[in-house]
Amino acid sequence: MENVISVELLNKGFDENQVLQNFSANLYRGENLAILGRSGSGKSVLIKCIIGLMKPDSGIIKVLGNEITKLNGGELDKIRAKVGFLFQSNALYDSMTVRENILFPLRRHTKNKTKKEINELIMEALTNVGLAHTINMMPSELSGGMKKRISLARTLILKPEIILYDEPTTGLDPITGKEISKLILEIQKKYNTSAMIISHDMKNIKITSNRIIVLIDGKCHTEGKYEELEKSNDEKIKLFFE
């Protein structure tokens, strides 16, 4: 299988707190890989290192064959255009309409598209998340689940090869969380995206993941499919399934 993300012996700490310790993982093309861990276990730090928002203390991170820590700003931007990042907070601009929010990454990464092509891309992205009717609304008019969908539409606008989901169901009620989980699965099937899903929501992980890595004490404690881990006799793994 082809690696689209490779993390080897990654270390990252803050003062006396060693968050990641010789952490290694591979994301393969076309799969949804869940990184499961408790709050504060280093899951979000991991994906911030992967896209170059944080610099690791040591270790190697390769994204689409490119070693992230060796790229300059321009080279890193080109990689980021191929990697969608769904923020836990949604990170929508309150002063912009839905259309303007979705247009934002196109302005940064795409220079040669016509107005018609841009409008078609925006409508396609909104239609994919079932919210074409919100195009002229403001974020303040949207529910939490709608904001998450709009944030996902903005991620899809550049048709990324990889999507990194940071706690995609946090703050959502169970029904909306399930809808977002199913949407993640639909996107994987429609676009053959590879995704890394950072979560502690077992319902979300059960629906979306092809494989799970359990992050405990900064290390890859174990990995496997949901059904395999669910039957584990390891006390540390059992805690997630109670």
Side-chain angles (χ1 to χ4, degrees):
M1 290 186 286
E2 179 189 356
N3 280 357
V4 292
I5 294 179
S6 175
V7 179
E8 299 177 29
L9 301 175
L10 182 65
N11 288 280
K12 179 64 180 177
F14 302 93
D15 297 324
E16 300 299 316
N17 181 23
Q18 191 63 33
V19 179
L20 297 171
Q21 301 183 59
N22 290 330
F23 181 86
S24 297
N26 291 311
L27 172 66
Y28 301 110
R29 187 169 295 282
E31 82 162 340
N32 280 352
L33 171 65
I35 307 293
L36 171 64
R38 301 177 68 173
S39 296
S41 62
K43 304 185 302 299
S44 295
V45 170
L46 170 64
I47 55 174
K48 286 175 181 175
C49 287
I50 288 172
I51 58 172
L53 291 177
M54 284 185 180
K55 187 174 181 179
D57 299 328
S58 62
I60 298 172
I61 302 171
K62 291 183 179 179
V63 178
L64 298 170
N66 300 272
E67 191 167 342
I68 292 299
T69 55
K70 293 184 177 179
L71 301 180
N72 62 36
E75 292 167 336
L76 193 54
D77 278 345
K78 288 180 181 179
I79 295 299
R80 286 174 176 162
K82 299 176 183 180
V83 180
F85 189 8
L86 187 70
F87 292 89
Q88 182 177 339
S89 63
N90 302 321
L92 298 177
Y93 296 99
D94 292 335
S95 61
M96 294 182 180
T97 64
V98 166
R99 184 186 189 281
E100 290 168 336
N101 265 284
I102 294 176
L103 178 60
F104 191 82
L106 278 179
R107 284 178 172 161
R108 180 171 182 180
H109 294 288
T110 308
K111 305 295 183 185
N112 301 317
K113 294 198 177 294
T114 66
K115 187 175 181 180
K116 182 175 183 243
E117 289 172 330
I118 289 171
N119 287 333
E120 287 174 350
L121 284 170
I122 291 171
M123 285 307 299
E124 179 186 356
L126 282 172
T127 300
N128 282 333
V129 300
L131 290 178
H133 65 285
T134 66
I135 189 166
N136 294 315
M137 294 173 69
M138 302 297 290
S140 60
E141 301 176 83
L142 307 174
S143 68
M146 292 169 79
K147 288 178 182 178
K148 189 70 70 175
R149 286 174 179 266
I150 296 302
S151 182
L152 186 50
R154 184 178 58 186
T155 299
L156 292 173
I157 197 76
L158 294 175
K159 301 188 183 300
E161 295 181 44
I162 301 168
I163 302 179
L164 304 177
Y165 296 94
D166 187 6
E167 300 284 6
T169 57
T170 291
L172 302 177
D173 63 81
I175 293 173
T176 306
K178 187 175 182 179
E179 290 173 349
I180 295 298
S181 298
K182 288 183 176 179
L183 185 57
I184 290 171
L185 205 57
E186 289 169 11
I187 288 166
Q188 178 197 23
K189 291 175 180 176
K190 183 169 183 177
Y191 292 103
N192 194 37
T193 54
S194 310
M196 189 174 284
I197 303 162
I198 305 300
S199 185
H200 62 269
D201 180 349
M202 297 307 296
K203 291 180 180 178
N204 168 253
I205 285 176
K206 184 176 183 179
I207 292 171
T208 60
S209 68
N210 301 115
R211 185 166 56 95
I212 302 168
I213 286 177
V214 184
L215 176 58
I216 298 176
D217 297 328
K219 301 174 183 177
C220 176
H221 183 76
T222 191
E223 66 175 277
K225 296 182 181 296
Y226 184 94
E227 295 76 14
E228 296 168 346
L229 297 181
E230 190 177 27
K231 298 173 184 175
S232 174
N233 292 319
D234 185 328
E235 294 300 326
K236 289 184 178 181
I237 303 299
K238 282 183 178 181
L239 290 173
F240 290 102
F241 290 89
E242 290 179 345

